[in-house]
């Protein structure tokens, strides 16, 4: 305890000594600032008076109001008897006299004149010379000491004393020159001031003297060296108030390196972090006084790196000092610097030209004090995560310091308008912490025992982990509501961000805690947590609604989505399987029912999210209850409520929202309700057709035909709904369903499941067999759908339906001919008979004639084109196949019949085309 007390005594003495200098400096700077404003006002007033003021005796312009006020303000400073004030006042009076002269530049020239570009002579002589001179002084002192050592002229003690005296003389010379400096130099050469350079050289010299006395010659012990280096560092930071931010950075560097320069076999961790914290506070106070940002960010980074290095490099970690130091750093950022000085809400946006979301987000993350904002976040989060990755023995459960640091960082994000990055890092860090402790399998008790360090035993079980996750979730939602209440109206973009954090991350934390540490069977703790979260978010949404401000519209909807997520978490902690799937859709429907009382935009979308969640659960486990628990009874099994109830609720939701002004949500719900209804029927068919089992086996032709018929019927239902209640979902959905059915026909009916290719038996009955359900019924369904779509859907779509029906009819007739000749099995390996080959020509010609009649009857050009196609196929078959395969009378009959039919078709077309106008 000797080192901290001695150090604190020196700090108090130093602060007391420098206080007077700070007060005088503040007063002098205030006077100089007021004098500069006075000169600007008087110059501006004289310029205006030269052109507009009346002329009095003697040719002098009458003083303007601004001049009178400026002169009156200038007289107030005459009471100050300090030399700096007298010199500054004399300079102001000279400038005032110059401004009062009748010869003055026009007002526009005075205001708009750009600042003159600095000449090469000024750069070379006024800046580079100063920098080079300061470096030369520092090197000169070092070389002088080196020469004295090599020559053996002086003893080490004398050399150190002379070097210390040289450093003090440099600092004194810098202060003397600063007091005598011409006022205009400070503004022109702010980063090349001779006093600051001399003071920096003196500070470096003193740093070297103290370290040499400790590390080289061993004249002083570690405690004395620590205190002396700290005093030099703090003195340098204090003098930076007079000489600028660069000197503050030098003092900060010295203070941060001081602990590293002093080695000890028994380091005092408390003394280390007390010193670092006081150093950070001193730097922040100087930064607040001078409005510095770079040096404050460097101080924060240095403190964070010390904490990170200590946690990762030590064999045993005392978590209290670094945690308290980081908490002090965050608290200082909230109240000391930047504190409230940069806590300004953004300028209101022009609603007529809203910004793009990406630009708004970029502006949110690049607000003033970005350097401090981002560095504080990293300096807090990285040591917090280091507690979880460290292999050292820790005297506290890591959850305690992690929770404390992240909660404080979240408080910073909620307390200040510039705290976007702390808010984001606090939320992400909390989520990472909730999972890392379990995923990395950290055995804290084993680590403590293996190090041989006597520390309090860490807790066992997952109590601390669960408490940390749920507590951090509560902190985030508390901070979110705090910001919404305090500054939500003034900062809409940040309000949206905090609403998102409050809605998403507490639920995410609860979910991670439940999955990693909870009871997956039934967990009442996490269930209560989710219910409480959902109730709080709904209450918050109602509170925002009653505020009646447009800025709260998006945060309100975000909180609603978060409440649904919270209730969903509770649902999964208490139920499983069928109950979870059904209750999830019931929960979404409750939000739709709430549209009868509130017109919140998110309400219908929550039902859409719930339906997507149900579909996700179905994709994960199509049987809902598991294959071993699924009954084999067709229709009446777990699939009926598991698929049917969500589908019915989705349909009911779409009906309730038929007059909802948000057409996107309404259309989406209509689409997903249609999909779920089709899926429910299809899965029941699949279950029934496969003997009460659901697997990934390829369906038979009969089963696939049912799906095709179902999709065709679904297209017709959507078309009917569109006629009664026009909707783009029904309009385009009906056509998509028809196209899907056509793709099924092309891929499954004609190729994959074709009995001619697969060799599947088609049944003993001549007509009522597999070909009926696989080809003829879909052909009739397509024909009916094409007829129903005429005039209601695009002509191209209707033609596609007609051609699909004709193709299926052609396939049915062809395969029926083969079945007549070959029996139940019509596989390709059985070859062809002569009678079978002749029958194909006859049937194809009849199909062509039939299509021609139907096309003429319904004025369907697509059917007439299909008829021509079949006729061409028949002609090609006759000349390419029949001529070579048929013999005798069958060959003759084939060509005679073909000729008769072709002549009849030509005569038929001639009559049609002369009787009706050309299409």
């Amino acid at each position: 305890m000797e080192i901290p007390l001695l150090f604190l005594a020196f700090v108090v003495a130093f602060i007391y000594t420098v206080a007077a200098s700070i007060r005088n400096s503040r007063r002098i700077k205030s006077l100089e600032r007021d004098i500069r404003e006075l000169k600007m006002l008087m110059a501006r007033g004289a310029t205006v008076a030269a052109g507009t003021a009346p002329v009095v005796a003697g040719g002098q312009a009458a003083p303007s109001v601004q001049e009178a006020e400026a002169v009156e303000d200038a007289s107030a400073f005459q009471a100050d008897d300090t030399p700096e004030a007298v010199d500054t006042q004399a300079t102001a009076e000279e400038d005032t006299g110059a401004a009062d002269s009748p010869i003055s530049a026009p007002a526009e020239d005075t205001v708009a004149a750009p600042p003159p570009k600095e000449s090469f002579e000024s750069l070379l002589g006024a800046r580079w010379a100063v920098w080079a001179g300061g470096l030369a002084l520092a090197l000169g002192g070092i070389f002088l000491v080196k020469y004295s050592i090599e020559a053996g002229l002086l003893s080490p003690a004398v050399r150190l004393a002379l070097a210390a005296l040289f450093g003090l003389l440099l600092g004194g010379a810098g202060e003397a020159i600063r007091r005598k400096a011409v006022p205009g130099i400070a503004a022109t050469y702010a980063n090349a001031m001779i006093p600051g350079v001399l003071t920096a050289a003196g500070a470096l010299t003193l740093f070297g003297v103290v370290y040499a006395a400790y590390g080289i010659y061993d004249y002083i012990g570690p405690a004395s060296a620590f205190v002396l280096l700290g005093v030099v560092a703090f003195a340098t930071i204090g003098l930076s108030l007079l000489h600028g931010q660069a000197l503050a950075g030098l003092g900060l560097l010295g203070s941060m390196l001081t602990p590293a320069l002093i080695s000890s076999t028994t380091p005092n961790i408390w003394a280390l972090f007390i010193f670092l914290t006081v150093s950070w506070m001193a730097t922040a106070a100087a930064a607040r006084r001078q409005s510095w940002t770079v040096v404050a960010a460097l101080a924060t980074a240095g403190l964070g790196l010390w904490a990170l290095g200590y946690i990762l490099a030590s064999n045993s970690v005392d978590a209290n000092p670094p945690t308290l130091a980081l908490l002090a750093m965050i608290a200082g950022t909230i109240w000391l610097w930047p504190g409230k000085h940069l806590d300004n809400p953004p300028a209101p946006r022009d609603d007529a030209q809203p910004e793009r979301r990406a630009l708004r987000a970029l502006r949110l993350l690049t607000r003033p004090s970005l350097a401090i904002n981002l560095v504080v976040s990293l300096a807090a989060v990285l040591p917090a995560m280091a507690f979880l990755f460290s292999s050292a023995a820790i005297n506290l459960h890591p959850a305690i310091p992690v929770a404390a640091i992240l909660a404080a960082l979240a408080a910073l994000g909620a307390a200040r308008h510039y705290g976007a990055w702390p808010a984001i890092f606090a939320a992400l860090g909390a989520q990472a912490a909730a999972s890392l402790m379990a995923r990395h399998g950290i055995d804290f008790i084993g680590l403590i025992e293996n190090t041989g360090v006597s520390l309090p035993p860490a807790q066992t079980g997952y109590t601390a982990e669960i408490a940390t996750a749920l507590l951090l979730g509560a902190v985030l939602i508390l901070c979110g509501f705090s910001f919404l209440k305090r500054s939500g109206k003034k900062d809409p973009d940040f309000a949206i961000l905090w609403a998102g954090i409050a809605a998403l991350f507490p639920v995410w934390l609860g979910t991670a805690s439940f999955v990693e540490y909870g009871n997956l069977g039934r967990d009442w703790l996490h269930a209560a947590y989710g219910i409480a979260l959902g109730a709080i978010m709904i209450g918050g949404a109602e509170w925002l609604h009653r505020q009646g401000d447009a800025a709260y519209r998006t945060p309100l909807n975000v909180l609603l989505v978060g409440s649904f997520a919270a209730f969903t978490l509770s649902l999964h902690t208490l139920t499983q399987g069928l109950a979870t799937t059904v209750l999830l859709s019931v929960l979404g429907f409750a939000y739709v029912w709430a549209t009868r009382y509130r017109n919140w935009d998110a309400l219908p979308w929550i039902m859409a999210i719930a339906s997507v969640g149900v579909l996700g659960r179905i994709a994960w486990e199509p049987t809902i209850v598991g294959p071993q628990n699924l009954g084999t009874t067709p229709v009446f099994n777990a699939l009926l409520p598991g698929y049917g109830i969500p589908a019915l609720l989705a349909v009911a939701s779409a009906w309730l929202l038929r007059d909802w002004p948000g057409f996107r949500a309404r259309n989406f719900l209509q689409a997903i309700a249609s999909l779920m209804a089709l899926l429910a029927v299809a899965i029941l068919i699949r279950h029934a057709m496969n003997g009460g089992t659901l697997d990934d086996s390829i369906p038979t032709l009969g089963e696939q035909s049912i799906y095709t018929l179902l999709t065709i019927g679904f297209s017709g239902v959507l078309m009917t709904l569109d006629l009664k209640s026009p909707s783009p979902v029904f309009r385009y959905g009906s056509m998509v369903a028809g196209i899907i059915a056509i793709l099924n026909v092309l891929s499954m009916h004609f190729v994959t499941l074709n009995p001619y290719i697969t060799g599947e038996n088609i049944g003993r009955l001549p007509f009522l067999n597999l070909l009926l359900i696989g080809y003829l019924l879909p052909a009739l369904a397509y024909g009916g759908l094409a007829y129903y779509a005429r005039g209601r859907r695009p002509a191209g779509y209707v033609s596609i339906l007609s051609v699909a029906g004709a193709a299926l009819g052609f396939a049915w007739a062809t395969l029926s001919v083969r079945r007549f000749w070959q029996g139940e099995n019509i596989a390709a390996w059985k070859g062809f008979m002569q009678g079978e080959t002749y029958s194909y020509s006859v049937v194809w010609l009849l199909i062509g004639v039939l299509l021609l009649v139907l096309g003429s009857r319904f004025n369907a050009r697509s059917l007439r084109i299909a008829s021509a196609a079949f006729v061409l196929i028949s002609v090609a078959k006759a000349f390419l196949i029949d001529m070579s395969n048929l013999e005798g009378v069958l060959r003759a009959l084939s060509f005679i019949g073909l000729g008769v039919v072709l002549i009849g078709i030509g005569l038929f077309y001639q009559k049609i085309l002369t009787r009706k106008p050309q299409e």
Side-chain angles (χ1 to χ4, degrees):
M1 295 301 294
E2 294 180 0
I3 294 178
L5 291 177
L6 183 61
F7 171 70
L8 290 177
F10 272 100
V11 170
V12 171
F14 167 72
I15 293 175
Y16 180 78
T17 304
V18 177
S21 176
I22 293 177
R23 287 197 299 270
N24 290 335
S25 174
R26 185 181 304 140
R27 188 176 184 183
I28 291 170
K29 287 186 176 293
S30 177
L31 291 174
E32 292 176 349
R33 183 171 59 253
D34 292 339
I35 290 296
R36 286 195 297 270
E37 295 177 357
L38 170 64
K39 290 165 59 179
M40 294 176 60
L41 288 173
M42 297 180 69
R44 190 180 300 114
T47 301
V48 176
T52 61
V55 180
V56 297
Q60 298 293 330
S64 64
V65 177
Q66 292 86 350
E67 287 177 316
E69 293 177 352
V71 173
E72 182 180 355
D73 293 339
S75 64
F77 295 112
Q78 295 177 1
D80 196 340
D81 55 358
T82 60
E84 292 82 355
V86 174
D87 294 341
T88 307
Q89 183 175 342
T91 304
E93 289 174 356
E94 295 175 2
D95 294 338
T96 303
D100 288 339
S101 62
I103 302 174
S104 61
E108 58 269 19
D109 295 339
T110 302
V111 175
K117 184 178 180 180
E118 188 173 9
S119 64
F120 177 76
E121 180 183 9
S122 174
L123 286 173
L124 183 63
R127 294 187 186 274
W128 297 348
V130 173
W131 299 332
L135 180 61
L137 283 173
L139 291 176
I142 294 173
F143 293 152
L144 183 61
V145 173
K146 180 180 179 182
Y147 172 75
S148 66
I149 294 173
E150 293 174 350
L153 299 177
L154 301 173
S155 65
V158 176
R159 289 197 300 269
L160 291 177
L162 291 177
L165 180 60
F166 179 68
L168 293 175
L169 287 176
L170 286 176
E175 177 61 18
I177 295 175
R178 185 192 68 81
R179 290 177 179 271
K180 300 296 183 180
V182 179
I185 295 179
T188 306
Y189 303 105
N191 63 344
M193 288 297 295
I194 295 175
V197 172
L198 292 176
T199 306
L204 285 173
T205 303
L206 292 176
F207 272 120
V209 167
V210 175
Y211 183 71
Y214 161 73
I216 298 177
Y217 300 111
D218 202 19
Y219 284 148
I220 58 177
S224 300
F226 184 84
V227 172
L228 289 176
L229 287 174
V231 169
V232 174
F234 285 116
T236 306
I237 294 174
L239 290 174
S240 69
L241 297 174
L242 304 176
H243 296 286
Q245 186 170 200
L247 190 61
L250 178 62
L252 172 66
L253 178 64
S255 65
M256 290 295 171
L257 290 179
T258 294
L261 296 175
I262 306 301
S263 60
S264 175
T265 56
T266 58
N268 190 325
I269 303 303
W270 278 102
L272 168 65
F273 281 98
I274 289 175
F275 174 83
L276 294 173
T277 304
V278 173
S279 175
W280 186 92
M281 290 291 181
T283 307
R288 172 176 175 172
R289 174 67 179 81
Q290 302 297 101
S291 298
W292 294 332
T293 56
V294 176
V295 71
L298 293 176
T300 300
L303 181 55
L305 289 174
W306 266 107
L308 182 64
Y310 167 66
I311 295 169
L312 293 179
S314 301
N315 293 326
S316 60
V317 175
D318 185 355
N320 293 313
T323 302
L324 293 176
L326 294 174
L327 293 179
M329 177 194 71
I330 296 173
T333 305
I334 297 175
W335 287 297
L336 182 59
W337 178 254
K340 63 181 180 180
H341 300 279
L342 297 179
D343 186 30
N344 300 316
R349 299 187 306 272
D350 185 5
D351 293 336
Q353 295 180 350
E355 298 174 272
R356 295 181 179 178
R357 293 181 180 178
L359 295 179
R360 290 170 57 184
L362 181 62
R363 190 177 75 167
L364 181 67
L365 298 179
T366 56
R367 288 179 173 177
S369 72
L370 170 65
I372 303 176
N373 193 4
L374 186 57
V375 172
V376 167
S377 303
L378 293 173
V381 169
L382 293 180
M385 296 299 104
F387 278 115
L388 302 178
F389 284 102
S390 175
S391 59
I394 305 176
N395 66 328
L396 293 176
H397 195 291
I400 298 175
V402 169
I405 294 171
L406 294 178
L409 192 62
L412 169 59
R416 301 301 176 200
H417 289 279
Y418 54 75
W421 282 114
I424 294 172
F425 274 95
L428 295 176
Q431 180 56 41
S435 301
L436 282 177
M437 286 183 285
R439 292 190 180 278
H440 287 276
I442 300 176
D443 182 11
F444 301 108
I445 298 178
L447 291 174
I448 293 173
E449 293 174 350
N450 293 335
T451 58
V453 179
S454 178
L455 291 174
Q459 296 180 0
T460 58
Y462 294 127
T463 303
E465 286 82 353
I466 295 175
T468 300
L470 302 189
L471 177 63
L472 286 175
V475 168
L476 289 176
I477 196 169
L478 178 63
C479 291
F481 277 96
S482 173
F483 185 87
L484 290 173
K485 183 178 186 300
R486 184 177 57 86
S487 305
K489 294 181 181 179
K490 296 181 290 186
D491 198 349
D493 294 339
F494 204 2
I496 295 174
L497 175 62
W498 259 119
I501 291 175
L504 173 63
F505 283 92
V507 180
W508 194 0
L509 287 166
T511 303
S513 175
F514 169 66
V515 173
E516 297 289 351
Y517 319 113
N519 183 359
L520 299 181
R522 183 165 296 169
D523 194 320
W524 292 101
L525 175 61
H526 288 92
Y529 172 78
I531 293 173
L533 276 183
I536 290 172
M537 291 184 196
I538 289 180
E542 178 64 22
W543 168 69
L544 293 178
H545 170 73
R546 295 186 180 183
Q547 299 302 308
D549 195 293
Y552 286 135
R553 179 177 178 181
T554 301
L556 183 153
N557 291 310
V558 172
L559 289 178
L560 275 181
V561 176
S563 68
F564 170 75
F567 289 138
T568 301
L569 169 62
S570 297
L571 190 63
H572 282 81
T573 60
L574 297 177
T575 62
Q576 292 179 348
L578 178 62
T580 305
T581 303
V582 173
L583 290 178
L584 184 60
S585 61
V586 172
L587 179 61
F589 183 76
Y591 282 85
V592 172
W593 189 262
T595 58
R596 300 168 65 90
Y597 307 97
R598 291 288 184 268
N599 61 344
W600 298 337
D601 297 334
L603 290 174
W605 285 108
I606 291 176
M607 181 58 190
I609 296 173
S611 300
V612 172
V614 169
L615 292 176
R617 288 184 58 84
I618 289 173
W620 179 263
E621 181 50 74
T623 63
I624 305 294
V625 294
Q628 70 280 3
N629 299 321
L630 181 61
T632 58
T633 305
V635 180
F636 298 101
N637 50 67
L639 299 178
L640 181 61
Y643 285 79
I645 293 178
L648 289 176
L649 291 177
V651 172
S653 298
W655 182 80
L656 284 175
L657 295 171
R658 62 192 182 280
D659 298 325
W660 184 257
F663 66 91
R664 289 187 178 88
R666 184 181 65 241
N667 292 341
F668 186 84
L669 271 177
Q670 289 173 348
I672 205 165
S674 303
L675 176 62
M676 294 180 73
L678 177 64
L679 182 62
V681 177
I683 202 69
L684 290 174
I685 294 174
R686 172 76 172 173
H687 177 266
M689 296 289 293
N690 285 271
T693 60
L694 289 179
D695 51 33
D696 57 353
S697 60
I698 299 176
T700 62
L701 178 60
E703 181 182 349
Q704 181 60 44
S705 300
I706 295 176
Y707 299 148
T708 302
L709 291 171
L710 179 62
T711 310
I712 296 172
F714 182 67
S715 176
V717 170
L718 291 181
M719 197 184 311
T720 303
L721 292 174
D722 182 51
L723 296 176
K724 294 184 177 180
S725 178
S727 169
V729 172
F730 297 149
R731 181 164 58 257
Y732 297 110
S734 63
M735 291 189 287
V736 169
I739 296 298
I740 290 176
I742 292 174
L743 294 177
N744 281 335
V745 167
L746 293 176
S747 61
M748 305 297 288
H749 291 250
F750 285 130
V751 181
T752 306
L753 302 178
N754 191 336
Y756 177 75
I757 299 174
T758 62
E760 180 183 2
N761 288 339
I762 57 179
R764 293 176 296 176
L765 299 178
F767 180 75
L768 301 175
N769 51 41
L770 185 60
L771 299 179
L772 173 66
I773 190 175
Y775 296 94
L776 182 57
L777 292 182
L780 296 175
Y782 268 121
L785 183 62
Y787 178 76
Y788 186 49
R790 291 185 65 195
R792 300 180 176 91
R793 292 293 179 266
Y797 173 69
V798 176
S799 299
I800 292 175
L801 295 178
S802 301
V803 171
L808 283 168
F810 169 77
W812 173 80
T814 303
L815 295 176
S816 294
V817 169
R818 184 163 179 80
R819 193 254 174 232
F820 176 81
W821 291 98
Q822 300 288 348
E824 297 181 24
N825 191 299
I826 58 173
W829 59 268
K830 300 178 70 172
F832 294 91
M833 302 179 181
Q834 283 198 3
E836 177 185 352
T837 303
Y838 176 75
S839 300
Y840 289 142
S841 300
V842 175
V843 171
W844 291 353
L845 286 174
L846 292 176
I847 292 175
V849 172
L850 177 62
L851 290 178
L852 182 61
V853 173
L854 293 176
S856 175
R857 169 67 178 81
F858 297 106
N859 193 24
R861 185 168 177 266
S862 59
L863 291 179
R864 297 199 297 269
I865 294 176
S867 168
F870 284 120
V871 172
L872 290 176
I873 292 174
S874 301
V875 172
K877 175 182 176 297
F879 284 95
L880 297 178
I881 298 176
D882 294 353
M883 187 177 294
S884 59
N885 293 337
L886 296 180
E887 298 176 357
V889 67
L890 290 179
R891 179 187 297 176
L893 291 176
S894 175
F895 279 89
I896 292 172
L898 177 62
V900 171
V901 172
L902 289 176
I903 292 174
I905 290 175
L907 179 60
F908 189 79
Y909 262 104
Q910 291 176 2
K911 292 183 178 180
I912 291 177
L913 295 178
T914 56
R915 195 185 313 164
K916 295 184 178 181
Q918 183 177 2
E919 297 182 15

